Structure formats: C-alpha cells, structure tokens
Amino acid sequence: MLFDIQILETPLSVQDCTTFVTDESCGAIDVFIGTVRNQTKGKKVEYLDFEAYKSMAIKEMQKIAEATSAKWPVAKIAMHHRVGKLKLKELAVVIAISTPHRQASFEACKFCIDQLKETVPIWKKEVFEDGEVWVAAHP
Amino acid sequence: MTNTSAPFKILLFGITKEIVGSSTIQLELSEPTVGALKAKLRSLYPDLGTLNYLAVAVNENYATDQQQLRLGDEIALIPPVSGG
C-alpha cells in the first residue's frame, strides 16, 4: 500500500508515519508536524477542539495523496490527523513523504499540508479563557 | 418515483452545527438542487450568511450549486475548513 491515511482520536506517532514511508528506493523523507500553539493574535489558547467529517475527510486526503504522487516521484505518503480535544504542544497533524531525492520530498510535503488546509473537511475550534471561536469561519 | 417534497437529511459540522443547534436537519425542497438547499438554509438560519463561505458535499464530494439532489443522497454542509 502506497498511502497510510488516518483520522485518529488518540495521540499521533511521528515514528509510525516515518516507519510507514521508509522505502529502500528513497533517500529522503520529509515530515510536517502541526502542533497546538499557545496563542492566536495575542489571545491565550487553552486547548483546541478538532472535528472531522471523517468519511469525506479520508477521501479528500486520499485525493491529495494521489495528486501529490502525480506531481512528484513519491514512494509512500502517511497523513495522520487527530480529532477531539488537544492540549498545547500536542500533535494535530503529521505528514511524512518519501522520495528518491530530497528536493521532491520538501515540495511534495508542503503541497500536501497546503492542500489539506484548503479542502479536507476538518474544523478547529480555539478555546480561550474567555470564549471560543471556529477558526477561519468568519471574515 | 421521486417525491421532491420529501425531506432531505443534512449533516452539520463545526460552526454550522452550532448555528442550527443540531448535528442534522431535515428539509423539504421544492427544487432539489444544492443552490436551492443553500438558499433555504440561509433564509432559515441567517447566521449562515455571515460565514466566509458555505460549501455543500453530496455523497462525500464537493458539489456545485447546480447539482441535483436525490433522495437518499448523503448531504453535508461544509463551513470554512481549518484542519492542520
């Protein structure tokens, strides 16, 4: 199997992703990790709450993996996204990509996370001390 | 035989779930298209009109406003996504 695409309610493992993509045809693995930041525009974040339309999110992530493989000489892609309540510093998303040479892995990994943020039906609520907001919902 | 007045069930996520106050809603549509569905929802829940955008997915694929809805389709409102 070329792709390992998962939406998980449990903590993500970078090791699981890199182990999956490691391939003897490849000399490069690039990894993107999205983590929970402690503030947004100066407001202190207490935690994030992620919700997914899981079945469609998996399909959209699969489409991204396929588009990435069509553009770069990718051997394997792992994309794991967490849902539920995440504390500061926890991992929200891990993407790992293996390619024969490093340039393609950098570019392909950036493409994957950029696309994920555009099209995959996952929503993030920032919870502050004094309220909460669904990210990017309003102008 | 199709009955276009029969209710369509719509899945709601994120802020749309909060605006409507439920994770699903059933609607009757005189014209079974994605565009008509959005218009009806915006008239029932004006706060949906304040969002950056509002997409609709039919059977887990993004749909255009022109797309026809059929009974039994899995329909979902997709407010601005913010994964990652």
Side-chain angles (χ1 to χ4, degrees):
Chain A
M1 196 173 70
L2 206 60
F3 308 138
D4 174 19
I5 290 170
Q6 299 189 46
I7 292 177
L8 296 159
E9 291 169 13
T10 49
L12 303 185
S13 162
V14 177
Q15 184 72 59
D16 285 356
C17 292
T18 54
T19 298
F20 174 81
V21 301
T22 301
D23 190 275
E24 63 185 18
S25 71
C26 290
I29 295 172
D30 196 62
V31 180
F32 175 81
I33 305 170
T35 57
V36 179
R37 186 177 54 224
N38 66 1
Q39 60 83 29
T40 289
K41 293 172 187 160
K43 283 193 81 175
K44 189 177 159 204
V45 170
E46 304 241 298
Y47 65 90
L48 298 182
D49 200 348
F50 283 90
E51 180 181 0
Y53 178 11
K54 189 172 175 182
S55 56
M56 180 175 171
I58 295 275
K59 281 174 80 169
E60 287 296 320
M61 289 158 80
Q62 183 83 22
K63 285 181 195 172
I64 293 169
E66 285 165 6
T68 305
S69 297
K71 286 167 80 88
W72 288 278
V74 166
K76 290 176 181 165
I77 300 177
M79 301 175 80
H80 291 186
H81 204 298
R82 177 101 180 262
V83 290
K85 286 186 181 178
L86 273 73
K87 300 184 292 243
L88 301 182
K89 302 194 288 184
E90 282 198 284
L91 280 50
V93 61
V94 178
I95 298 174
I97 299 189
S98 55
T99 60
H101 303 283
R102 70 183 182 282
Q103 187 65 24
S105 70
F106 286 132
E107 292 173 6
C109 195
K110 181 179 189 309
F111 176 80
C112 272
I113 184 60
D114 289 348
Q115 290 292 304
L116 183 147
K117 283 176 169 279
E118 289 284 316
T119 64
V120 176
I122 295 176
W123 299 274
K124 168 166 52 190
K125 185 165 69 176
E126 289 174 331
V127 180
F128 307 105
E129 291 165 304
D130 59 348
E132 53 188 46
V133 63
W134 286 101
V135 175
H138 294 105
Chain B
M1 208 168 79
T2 56
N3 175 359
T4 56
S5 70
F8 289 92
K9 183 179 162 189
I10 298 122
L11 307 177
L12 304 168
F13 298 94
I15 194 164
T16 61
K17 187 163 73 178
E18 287 187 3
I19 288 171
V20 173
S22 171
S23 59
T24 62
I25 184 174
Q26 299 219 1
L27 282 185
E28 291 186 1
L29 294 172
S30 50
E31 180 204 346
T33 66
V34 167
L37 168 72
K38 282 180 170 178
K40 179 149 192 177
L41 281 166
R42 285 201 180 103
S43 72
L44 290 170
Y45 303 97
D47 283 353
L48 291 174
T50 69
L51 301 177
N52 263 335
Y53 68 83
L54 187 61
V56 170
V58 178
N59 300 324
E60 301 172 348
N61 288 299
Y62 285 104
T64 63
D65 283 356
Q66 290 71 41
Q67 184 161 336
Q68 297 280 320
L69 298 172
R70 295 178 184 80
L71 293 180
D73 279 345
E74 182 168 308
I75 304 165
L77 281 192
I78 311 288
V81 301
S82 51

